[in-house]
Amino acid sequence: MLVKFLRWLFGYIRFTIEGNFPERFLNAAARRGVDLWKLSHENGHMTAQTRQREYAALCDIARKTDTQLTDIHYGGLPAFLKRYRRRKGLLIGLVLCGIGCHYLSGIVWSINVRTPSLINEYEVRQLLREHGLTEGTPAKNVNVSDIINSISVNDRRVSWMTVNIMDTNAEINISPNLASFIGTQTPVPLSNMKSIADGTVTKVEVYQGTAHIRVGDGIRKDQLLVSGLVEYNNGHVELTDCEAHVFARTHRAVTIRLPKQYTIPQRQQTTLKRAMTAFGLSVPLTVTANPSEGTVCQSQREQLTLLGHPLPIYITEENWHQYEEVPVELTLPQAQTLLQHKLSLYEFFMLSSTRQGTIVDRKITCREEADGFILQADYTIEEDVCRKSVIPLSVEEPAENSPVT
């Protein structure tokens, strides 16, 4: 590649050798030290290339070997400059292009922010913008040390950060200050454990506190299950924060209604809009009217790259979907399927809201009425029925040397 560039830079000539004995020309050129390349033999003639400065030597060799040089073609940079020497506009354009490339190479066109999920990337980009680092900012105007010191000192969420500007790219790396995300610990309040539903106790696990129920007991909603008052064998009484799990079999019922007629959104028309954003300027690639009201937009943005490096050019594609409400009437099999899906969602959220809850038994009935469909489900669930209830205590220490009553 370097040899080809040097040949183009200093200029070369391509010529055809005509005569009875072209091999005598080649042998003489070799003895004179003339470098020939791209030798080919076509239609009884031989063609070759050599450096432009060897032309005088070639003419002398051709005269002595009784051959002729025809179809001489000049190539390379000297020939290019000679061909366009009178076109001053081209030269001015090349100079301006070089100046523009030199100027644009000193501008930050891509900012890559690497931040943990604890810190929002959009907020980091806003802070960088406030400190003068944004797309289109000259790299020489960016004070890296000032940005690092200012953000690290003023934002307690940031432990340390680095700002590296390489060519037209800026790499931002941020490490969070975990201590700022850990709130101050407040004193744990004293509490009891109460029941959240009626049922029959199946299992009792008490870690702190005093249990007031046993396995097999029936309980009512809001009944005291575990007390925060602990009495020891030596008569000492202590108030504590209860920790316990009391499992019981409870009953729940749910009724789900579904109308026979309802409307669903149906896509009627899709409008595609594309635009290109380059160096902060947005240019539309499609000429379409603005979508009407009641449309849903799905947008996708892609950044162009060159040889693995991101360019300050983005292609934005927007799909505007227009929907219309279409009436639909349900049949009994369709209604049963939808009701089963709704019941599955209810069971999922019901069990996720109860700690370690399991369904012991379920009875489901589905019937059709004049205005719709009704699904009735009765459940027997084994779940943790404990709910922590804070003890409303206010203890004030007596003043020094004051009598205690």
Side-chain angles (χ1 to χ4, degrees):
M1 186 67 183
L2 180 60
V3 174
K4 291 182 179 180
F5 175 74
L6 292 176
R7 290 173 178 174
W8 178 86
L9 182 64
F10 293 105
Y12 63 90
I13 59 173
R14 184 174 67 249
F15 56 91
T16 301
I17 307 171
E18 292 185 357
N20 295 328
F21 303 100
E23 62 276 3
R24 294 174 59 189
F25 176 88
L26 299 178
N27 294 332
R31 287 194 299 268
R32 295 277 291 269
V34 179
D35 186 17
L36 300 177
W37 64 85
K38 289 190 177 181
L39 295 170
S40 63
H41 190 273
E42 297 179 0
N43 301 326
H45 301 287
M46 185 171 292
T47 59
Q49 290 184 10
T50 187
R51 293 185 294 269
Q52 187 172 338
R53 64 184 182 182
E54 302 288 353
Y55 179 69
L58 291 178
C59 292
D60 184 55
I61 295 172
R63 185 175 62 256
K64 293 181 179 180
T65 56
D66 195 18
T67 55
Q68 294 181 356
L69 302 181
T70 60
D71 296 335
I72 300 175
H73 174 76
Y74 291 86
L77 181 60
F80 177 81
L81 296 178
K82 184 178 180 180
R83 187 182 306 120
Y84 297 102
R85 64 183 181 276
R86 295 183 179 180
R87 299 185 180 181
K88 299 180 180 179
L90 179 61
L91 178 61
I92 296 175
L94 291 176
V95 173
L96 293 178
C97 180
I99 295 174
C101 292
H102 176 72
Y103 174 75
L104 294 177
S105 63
I107 296 179
V108 178
W109 293 115
S110 177
I111 300 177
N112 184 20
V113 178
R114 297 179 181 177
T115 177
S117 58
L118 297 174
I119 303 176
N120 191 295
E121 180 180 347
Y122 176 77
E123 297 180 2
V124 175
R125 291 185 179 272
Q126 289 295 110
L127 291 174
L128 295 175
R129 183 184 298 272
E130 294 176 1
H131 290 83
L133 178 55
T134 182
E135 295 178 350
T137 303
K140 63 180 181 180
N141 295 340
V142 179
N143 192 335
V144 175
S145 59
D146 181 64
I147 293 176
I148 295 176
N149 294 334
S150 179
I151 295 180
S152 301
V153 171
N154 297 331
D155 197 334
R156 296 182 56 190
R157 300 173 301 173
V158 179
S159 175
W160 58 266
M161 67 178 297
T162 60
V163 179
N164 299 319
I165 298 179
M166 299 173 291
D167 298 331
T168 60
N169 301 325
E171 293 284 342
I172 314 297
N173 296 282
I174 293 180
S175 177
N177 183 13
L178 298 179
S180 63
F181 294 94
I182 302 176
T184 56
Q185 297 182 354
T186 57
V188 179
L190 306 178
S191 62
N192 293 326
M193 287 290 187
K194 293 187 178 181
S195 173
I196 62 173
D198 302 342
T200 304
V201 178
T202 59
K203 186 178 180 181
V204 179
E205 297 178 354
V206 179
Y207 308 108
Q208 289 187 118
T210 303
H212 290 261
I213 41 84
R214 295 178 298 179
V215 175
D217 291 350
I219 56 176
R220 305 288 295 177
K221 184 178 181 180
D222 294 330
Q223 178 180 339
L224 179 64
L225 303 179
V226 181
S227 173
L229 182 64
V230 180
E231 183 176 358
Y232 296 95
N233 295 331
N234 58 3
H236 178 68
V237 177
E238 180 182 1
L239 294 175
T240 184
D241 181 36
C242 284
E243 290 293 339
H245 292 297
V246 177
F247 293 86
R249 287 199 174 186
T250 61
H251 300 278
R252 294 192 186 186
V254 60
T255 301
I256 303 177
R257 299 179 180 272
L258 198 63
K260 286 187 176 181
Q261 292 185 351
Y262 65 100
T263 59
I264 61 173
Q266 185 173 357
R267 185 184 300 178
Q268 300 294 329
Q269 184 180 0
T270 300
T271 303
L272 175 63
K273 298 186 67 176
R274 301 184 67 190
M276 180 178 66
T277 303
F279 305 102
L281 299 178
S282 181
V283 179
L285 301 179
T286 56
V287 182
T288 56
N290 292 330
S292 58
E293 297 182 358
T295 57
V296 178
C297 177
Q298 294 179 348
S299 62
Q300 183 178 2
R301 191 182 189 189
E302 180 181 0
Q303 185 176 10
L304 302 184
T305 59
L306 178 63
L307 301 177
H309 297 282
L311 299 177
I313 302 176
Y314 301 87
I315 301 296
T316 304
E317 183 175 310
E318 296 181 350
N319 290 304
W320 293 83
H321 305 293
Q322 186 175 3
Y323 291 87
E324 182 179 350
E325 298 292 336
V326 178
V328 176
E329 185 172 353
L330 286 178
T331 62
L332 181 59
Q334 293 175 342
Q336 290 177 344
T337 302
L338 290 177
L339 289 172
Q340 287 293 338
H341 287 325
K342 289 180 176 290
L343 186 63
S344 299
L345 289 175
Y346 171 78
E347 292 179 356
F348 173 78
F349 288 106
M350 177 184 65
L351 295 180
S352 63
S353 63
T354 58
R355 292 167 295 177
Q356 305 177 16
T358 57
I359 297 176
V360 179
D361 186 25
R362 100 169 41 87
K363 295 180 180 179
I364 301 175
T365 58
C366 183
R367 65 180 185 274
E368 180 180 0
E369 295 186 352
D371 57 344
F373 304 91
I374 298 178
L375 184 143
Q376 180 74 32
D378 297 319
Y379 293 94
T380 300
I381 306 175
E382 185 172 356
E383 59 179 325
D384 185 1
V385 294
C386 282
R387 173 178 60 85
K388 184 170 290 189
S389 175
V390 178
I391 300 176
L393 288 180
S394 178
V395 180
E396 296 182 359
E397 296 183 358
E400 187 177 357
N401 299 330
S402 60
V404 178
T405 58

